[in-house]
Amino acid sequence: MGFVDLHSHVLPAIDDGAKQLVDSLQMLSLLGQLGFDRVHATPHQKVGSFVPTREAIDAAHARVVAALPPGSVDLRLGAENMWDELFLERSLDRTIPGYRVAGDEASRAFLFELPVALMPPRMEERLFAIRRGGPLPVMAHPERYVALWDHLERFEALAQRCALVVDLGALDGAHGVRQCKTARWLVEQQLAHAAASDVHQASDVRLAGAGIAWVRKRMGEAAVTRLLDTGPRRILNGELPD
Ligand SMILES: [Fe+2]
């Protein structure tokens, strides 16, 4: 089977990702060439910048799907939820938008991100409460959070509470030295459960390709399969991969 992308901004004019339909189609075609056969679009849900409605997301998704040539990647939905007041409200109501795999079936996992500089108070506790009887939390770009750079030991506990999905571009240094070091460490320690493109524009796909090449060279083909195929599929199923 092909790769599954758990994190991308490929819907046109929905967030800070693709601007127009033509951008979406180009990004998806390039992701297909990299080996992805399924891509989840995960538009931002972030108070103060982008909170697209479900209707707007569905309409943008339908537009892209209708324009995709036959044999293209399978485009599904999701969301990237910023850990803000809206997220906390939704976590209590159990309405955090998650990965949409099949029809109206309830999501088994959802993607979230944190503010870069400060860890939210009682985060591990909240993750545990959300996970208990609910969907699997999936942390986007764990290598990005400054507060964790000098406390790598926290990742051991976090990896028990949520899935960790590193950005492929970070593995090749596209996001700076500290992010690169942390992302590589997470992969080498096998704490990263998956890797994803997080593409916002077509040029990001090349960076994702460089990240895949790094994993292949450093860790071998089995690690590529674990991070981009079996890992993501288990996450979508709500399971925390080993
Ligand atoms: Fe993102």
Side-chain angles (χ1 to χ4, degrees):
M1 285 204 269
F3 302 154
V4 176
D5 196 354
L6 292 178
H7 186 175
S8 74
H9 300 269
V10 293
L11 295 182
I14 280 288
D15 60 7
D16 56 348
K19 290 192 170 55
Q20 302 178 50
L21 181 62
V22 60
D23 305 321
S24 310
L25 297 175
Q26 190 190 4
M27 289 154 82
L28 290 166
S29 158
L30 292 169
L31 285 168
Q33 288 170 32
L34 269 191
F36 288 93
D37 65 12
R38 186 201 279 194
V39 173
H40 280 267
T42 50
H44 288 289
Q45 289 282 315
K46 184 177 180 182
V47 173
S49 27
F50 306 99
V51 188
T53 62
R54 180 163 172 137
E55 291 70 27
I57 292 167
D58 285 354
H61 175 248
R63 252 183 92 207
V64 178
V65 169
L68 279 173
S72 298
V73 299
D74 178 9
L75 179 64
R76 306 281 181 104
L77 291 171
E80 181 176 15
N81 300 280
M82 172 54 87
W83 193 292
D84 56 20
E85 62 269 29
L86 177 63
F87 173 83
L88 292 174
E89 206 179 292
R90 287 172 166 173
S91 76
L92 296 175
D93 300 346
R94 298 200 168 262
T95 54
I96 300 170
Y99 289 106
R100 284 151 69 181
V101 177
D104 282 337
E105 199 180 294
S107 297
R108 295 183 183 169
F110 67 88
L111 185 68
F112 72 95
E113 65 170 332
L114 301 169
V116 171
L118 272 184
M119 288 288 106
R122 299 166 54 223
M123 178 177 64
E124 279 91 344
E125 214 176 294
R126 284 183 196 275
L127 284 172
F128 183 73
I130 293 170
R131 173 71 171 138
R132 201 175 40 210
L136 172 70
V138 181
M139 185 189 283
H141 32 67
E143 70 280 359
R144 188 173 296 182
Y145 309 119
V146 176
L148 297 175
W149 286 349
D150 292 321
H151 297 280
L152 294 179
E153 71 285 351
R154 271 186 88 177
F155 282 118
E156 309 255 351
L158 278 171
Q160 313 284 321
R161 296 264 188 278
C162 61
L164 304 176
V165 181
V166 299
D167 273 6
L168 285 164
L171 290 170
D172 189 57
H175 307 151
V177 175
R178 291 303 299 265
Q179 288 199 42
C180 180
K181 234 178 117 181
T182 308
R184 288 181 174 189
W185 182 84
L186 287 166
V187 168
E188 287 164 350
Q189 298 297 313
Q190 304 206 23
L191 286 170
H193 299 98
S197 76
D198 196 7
V199 286
H200 285 72
Q201 53 200 344
S203 58
D204 293 343
V205 181
R206 190 182 52 76
L207 306 174
I212 297 173
W214 179 84
V215 176
R216 186 170 281 128
K217 191 169 168 208
R218 176 79 178 87
M219 307 288 291
E221 199 59 39
V224 175
T225 302
R226 189 176 76 82
L227 291 170
L228 292 168
D229 179 348
T230 49
R233 288 177 204 278
R234 291 189 62 186
I235 289 171
L236 290 171
N237 213 19
E239 300 164 43
L240 200 54
D242 303 326

